[in-house]
Amino acid sequence: MVLLWGATVHWGEPRFENSLAAAADRVVETTGAIGSEPWLRVEARGRDLIAKGEAPAADMRDSALERLTEISGVRRVVSGIGIVQEASPFAWTATRAEQDRIALTGSRPVEIGRASLAGSLKADLPDTLILTDEAKAARGAPPDFLAAASYAVARLRQLARGAVATVKDTTLSFEGEAVGVAEYDALRTAFANPPQGYSIGHVDILPPVVSDFRFAVERASAGGLVLTGYVSSEAERVRMRDLAADTANGTFVDDRLQTARGLPAGLDGPALIRLAFAVTALLQEGAVRFETDALSVSGNALDAQAVGEIEALIRDQRPTGVTAGRVSLHVLPLTSYRLTIRREAESVTITGHLPDVAARERLLAALRPRFFRERIVDKTRLAQGAPDGLVRALEVAMPSLATLASGELAVNNRNLGLTGESLYTESARRIAATLPQIMPSGWTAQANVQARNPTEHRAAETCRSQFASDAATPRLRFEPGSSALRPEFYPVLDDLAALAKACPDLRITVTGHVDPAPPPNAPKPAAAEAKPPEPAPMTNAALPPAGKAKEQPKSAKNPGKDQAKTAGKSTKPANAAKSEDQPKDEEPPPDLPRLRALVIVEYLLQAGMAPDQITAVAPEPTAARRFDVSFALR
């Protein structure tokens, strides 16, 4: 009987399970609509059937279970069937559980069957990689879910065990460690191009660990820098690029770094990088390398002074854990003797070479009186080979640099160049014309100076036509008895000043107005008595730029005062001779129309009009009485 029972278990039970499974499969096939994947999955265990899946509705689940229990020979049906629900947010996760297995969890679109999803995902995966899908069908999936899932699983191939990729609605997130340097770079590129309609959310990808962590900063003969080797993180890459830009002094920076970990534990990486660039700044050409915990340098030093400075830096500023490597430096004569003086908002910085301490002191003595408000930063070094007349050429060019709002004076052997920005167009033209002529013998100079706000120039006919249109439109009228500008005057006067600056040939007269006659028996306003001109309010357009007083013509320093004197003299009646006992300084004030015209003239001069472009005139006695300000061409 034992033998009979063993034979039955060995040969009979598997056949019986297969028979039940075949019958259950026929039930499974009926749970899928035409052309779609069945939602029911059944597994036979002896005489029991284990049912799994997600039924679209409760009645469909109950119907499937009833048909399974009707199969001949079934002892019981164990149900693990769920009901498809709405998922919000819709989240699907792929985890690299093992190096050769990816586990899928969360919610799967009900429209996509389990087998169909697995077939689509495995299309781009190696055959050795296994997918285990424990995700549950749910409604509410984002559009083009299959494209997002394929993108996420493809990224997992470049990540090590334990990495996770998540599709949450239309956002893709990733965590893990890259399996290699090339894979890390590929991930950075891929994250910049997510599937259409999706965005990249949280990304926490660790660079790979390398056993030979190293980096180098190489200075090319043209002065540019080439960065090679490894950098620990993207934040560290940004810091290295910033230091490289400062060290390159305006030349190129070629970043060939790859991101990887592997710097020895406890070593101060930022301090090591700062030291490497400090040494690089003292090279004409060469390289600073960190390899196998040693920092070495080779190439041509900036000058003889730089050799000792480099040796001191490596000796005294090495971070703990870094050893001193080989220092192989050469000193060559300077093939190009350079010096630069750069003027900025609050400082003047001198870089480059000078022949000796006396030349340095002489240059600083020439700078201080002209830039007494700015901080002078001296970064010059001493080296032989300076061209004759170097300091003299700088002294000659210094006044031109001092007149600029910002600029740079650069010397290369016997060539001097001045670039920058002037507050005035005329000043920019004058510097360009005179600087080459005042250079010492044997020196050449070029000036490329731009005006900060270059003046627009218009054709004469266009100017007159525009003036006629502007002058005919506004009606400027003072308050009775007052010579104070009203707020509505400012836009009109600013437009007129702008037109005059664009049309330097325009000559304009302004005529004040009288007040209308008061009604009979009206009291005379106290303000009608003549009084000195009230100061004109200043607008932004009228405020002179900082430093403009340096180039302002003498004739424009107090135009209102000069015009007032002239106007006062011209309007004095011939028969108004002063009596002998009247003090000479008690001359009667000008009449109200002329006073109003002078106030407008003063404002326009402050707004930028040239003194010879605007004149105040008195109204003609025989002309019709006007009650508003008038402008005319002369």
Side-chain angles (χ1 to χ4, degrees):
M1 291 182 65
V2 172
L3 292 175
L4 181 61
W5 177 82
T8 302
V9 170
H10 184 72
W11 283 289
E13 186 172 353
R15 293 183 179 181
F16 188 73
E17 286 184 357
N18 291 339
S19 175
L20 289 180
D25 286 344
R26 290 192 290 271
V27 176
V28 168
E29 292 173 358
T30 64
T31 62
I34 298 176
S36 64
E37 184 180 333
W39 55 263
L40 180 62
R41 304 191 311 278
V42 179
E43 177 184 351
R45 294 181 184 173
R47 295 176 59 192
D48 298 336
L49 294 178
I50 311 301
K52 297 180 181 180
E54 297 80 30
D59 58 339
M60 299 178 72
R61 177 193 59 189
D62 297 340
S63 175
L65 290 175
E66 183 179 353
R67 281 180 286 163
L68 288 175
T69 58
E70 294 175 352
I71 296 175
S72 177
V74 171
R75 180 174 60 186
R76 62 175 179 170
V77 176
V78 180
S79 176
I81 301 175
I83 305 297
V84 175
Q85 302 291 334
E86 185 84 16
S88 181
F90 193 98
W92 176 86
T93 300
T95 304
R96 189 150 196 180
E98 303 290 343
Q99 201 62 27
D100 60 348
R101 184 171 67 90
I102 294 178
L104 309 180
T105 57
S107 298
R108 168 178 51 81
V110 66
E111 302 86 1
I112 305 176
R114 191 181 307 271
S116 177
L117 177 61
S120 298
L121 297 180
K122 285 185 67 67
D124 296 326
L125 298 177
D127 295 336
T128 56
L129 197 58
I130 302 170
L131 284 178
T132 58
D133 190 353
E134 297 297 329
K136 295 183 178 180
R139 297 184 179 89
D144 296 327
F145 172 85
L146 194 56
S150 300
Y151 175 92
V153 170
R155 305 290 78 77
L156 286 181
R157 293 183 57 189
Q158 299 159 329
L159 297 172
R161 177 183 176 182
V164 177
T166 301
V167 180
K168 188 173 183 180
D169 291 334
T170 58
T171 302
L172 294 159
S173 301
F174 298 88
E175 295 181 3
E177 177 184 347
V179 296
V181 174
E183 286 78 6
Y184 184 86
D185 291 339
L187 284 168
R188 290 178 56 202
T189 302
F191 289 154
N193 299 283
Q196 187 173 2
Y198 287 80
S199 61
I200 301 296
H202 174 71
V203 174
D204 185 10
I205 303 298
L206 293 176
V209 177
V210 295
S211 58
D212 59 339
F213 190 93
R214 64 189 185 280
F215 70 85
V217 183
E218 302 177 19
R219 184 184 284 280
S221 57
L225 299 183
V226 180
L227 312 181
T228 58
Y230 299 116
V231 62
S232 299
S233 65
E234 294 308 309
E236 199 68 46
R237 181 193 296 270
V238 172
R239 284 193 288 269
M240 287 190 71
R241 288 187 62 87
D242 290 342
L243 287 170
D246 292 340
T247 309
N249 293 325
T251 55
F252 69 88
V253 174
D254 185 0
D255 180 4
R256 303 179 188 176
L257 294 167
Q258 294 181 300
T259 309
R261 294 174 295 153
L263 199 64
L267 195 150
D268 189 345
L272 174 62
I273 291 172
R274 288 194 299 270
L275 174 59
F277 280 102
V279 173
T280 304
L282 297 172
L283 296 178
Q284 283 192 52
E285 183 179 1
V288 179
R289 291 183 172 85
F290 174 76
E291 295 176 312
T292 318
D293 75 15
L295 187 70
S296 60
V297 57
S298 60
N300 299 326
L302 191 61
D303 47 43
Q305 177 184 344
V307 175
E309 293 175 348
I310 291 173
E311 292 174 344
L313 282 172
I314 295 178
R315 181 184 65 247
D316 301 333
Q317 296 190 21
R318 291 196 323 273
T320 302
V322 177
T323 60
R326 188 171 66 94
V327 176
S328 176
L329 294 172
H330 305 280
V331 179
L332 301 178
L334 295 177
T335 58
S336 179
Y337 208 93
R338 298 175 183 269
L339 185 134
T340 300
I341 304 175
R342 181 177 299 161
R343 181 184 187 180
E344 296 172 325
E346 298 179 355
S347 64
V348 175
T349 304
I350 319 167
T351 57
H353 285 94
L354 287 168
D356 49 43
V357 175
R360 177 184 286 162
E361 293 301 325
R362 180 179 166 187
L363 177 60
L364 293 174
L367 281 168
R368 291 189 182 105
R370 296 189 177 276
F371 301 100
F372 56 91
R373 289 190 180 91
E374 292 86 348
R375 180 170 58 95
I376 296 178
V377 182
D378 180 16
K379 296 182 179 180
T380 57
R381 306 175 60 81
L382 303 181
Q384 298 301 313
D388 294 338
L390 170 63
V391 179
R392 177 56 186 159
L394 293 170
E395 290 173 337
V396 168
M398 202 77 67
S400 297
L401 177 65
T403 62
L404 302 183
S406 62
E408 181 177 284
L409 193 63
V411 170
N412 184 358
N413 294 331
R414 290 178 179 268
N415 300 316
L416 184 145
L418 177 63
T419 58
E421 189 177 61
S422 172
L423 296 174
Y424 306 96
T425 304
E426 182 58 37
S427 174
R429 286 197 295 264
R430 183 173 62 252
I431 290 173
T434 60
L435 183 62
Q437 301 174 2
I438 61 176
M439 284 290 102
S441 176
W443 281 75
T444 61
Q446 302 84 32
N448 182 15
V449 178
Q450 305 295 324
R452 174 168 290 181
N453 295 307
T455 302
E456 175 192 7
H457 291 286
R458 304 182 188 175
E461 187 59 34
T462 303
C463 293
R464 301 179 72 87
S465 174
Q466 184 64 45
F467 173 81
S469 174
D470 292 348
T473 303
R475 298 179 65 84
L476 305 183
R477 182 174 297 179
F478 287 86
E479 293 287 350
S482 173
S483 61
L485 297 177
R486 300 173 66 178
E488 58 267 26
F489 286 20
Y490 301 141
V492 176
L493 298 181
D494 289 343
D495 289 344
L496 184 60
L499 176 65
K501 285 187 283 187
C503 304
D505 295 332
L506 281 184
R507 299 295 182 267
I508 301 170
T509 62
V510 55
T511 305
H513 67 83
V514 298
D515 292 333
N521 303 323
K524 183 178 181 182
E529 299 178 5
K531 57 182 179 179
E534 299 181 20
M538 296 287 287
T539 66
N540 291 337
L543 291 174
K548 187 170 182 177
K550 292 183 180 180
E551 297 186 356
Q552 189 172 7
K554 292 181 180 180
S555 60
K557 287 184 179 178
N558 199 347
K561 183 177 179 182
D562 295 342
Q563 294 283 358
K565 289 181 179 179
T566 306
K569 293 178 182 179
S570 62
T571 55
K572 180 179 178 182
N575 58 353
K578 299 178 182 178
S579 60
E580 295 180 359
D581 58 345
Q582 183 180 10
K584 292 183 179 180
D585 58 350
E586 294 183 1
E587 187 175 349
D591 56 37
L592 191 56
R594 177 169 288 275
L595 182 60
R596 288 168 170 168
L598 288 173
V599 170
I600 291 178
V601 167
E602 182 180 2
Y603 181 90
L604 290 174
L605 290 171
Q606 291 174 343
M609 288 186 68
D612 62 345
Q613 286 186 287
I614 183 70
T615 305
V617 298
E620 294 291 338
T622 58
R625 298 173 67 82
R626 294 182 58 92
F627 302 122
D628 52 48
V629 177
S630 63
F631 299 94
L633 294 177
R634 58 181 170 91

